[in-house]
Amino acid sequence: MGTLYLVRHGQASFGADDYDVLSPLGQQQSLRLGEYFRFKGLTFDAALTGTLKRQLQTYAGICKGMGVEPAASPWPGLNEYDSHAVIEAIHPQPLDKPTSPEMYREHFRLLKQGLAQWMAGVVSPRGMPSYTDFVAGVTSALDHVRKTCEGNVLLVSSGGPIATAMGHVLATSPETTIELNLRIRNCSVTEFAFTPKRHMLVTYNTLPHLDAPEHADWVTYA
């Protein structure tokens, strides 16, 4: 039996012109997680990452903290959905950049509605695959791990693919999968035990590397 560690990327640049870049805090989160893995004596026999910048930067930070050279297999099926396209599919009028709690709440309210409609096949967000194909990209990575890997495996991705993996393993409803997605914290660790036949949930959305009081303000969601 092996263990798959699914890590969400560090804090990205929400509200900036290019979201797909780690913030300075996101870089620190990634490095700290790698340091934690090294402290625990954890090594990885294989690694997969999406191909988005924030995912690759997170993986690089983890490797730096562990003191190892990056050696992950790129897996485009682990890339995140386009949240702007999801919202645009149900709300064509451009949204202003959120600058207040009310605007942030409106953003995520629309995102939840858009995700539900995309998952149900009601809308087809611009430039995105169908939800069926999105799920297939995630499950292809899970299948690869259980069929070809053993020991400890690291997977660095985003909230959407990790929640989709959870939904696949636990057979959750679309509504539950969306809630799981929006609760996943930056650089959090979700663990699956795996055999050649299946994956089994062990932990979800944990931050053991940020337990110390000095890291209390390092916990983020975007």
Side-chain angles (χ1 to χ4, degrees), residues 117-184:
Q117 294 193 34
W118 173 49
M119 294 167 79
V122 175
V123 298
S124 299
R126 178 173 48 86
M128 282 176 46
S130 68
Y131 183 65
T132 299
D133 289 343
F134 181 81
V135 172
V138 175
T139 57
S140 70
L142 296 181
D143 291 345
H144 172 78
V145 169
R146 66 178 176 79
K147 291 177 181 178
T148 69
C149 298
E150 57 185 21
N152 297 320
V153 180
L154 176 64
L155 184 156
V156 180
S157 184
S158 297
I162 293 173
T164 298
M166 289 274 296
H168 175 72
V169 169
L170 299 179
T172 61
S173 67
E175 293 79 13
T176 298
T177 301
I178 292 171
E179 290 299 324
L180 289 170
N181 178 4
L182 298 182
R183 296 295 178 267
I184 298 178

Side-chain angles (χ1 to χ4, degrees), residues 202-221:
V202 178
T203 68
Y204 163 67
N205 198 27
T206 65
L207 295 171
H209 54 298
L210 301 182
D211 275 348
E214 61 265 29
H215 297 130
D217 59 352
W218 286 28
V219 178
T220 59
Y221 289 83

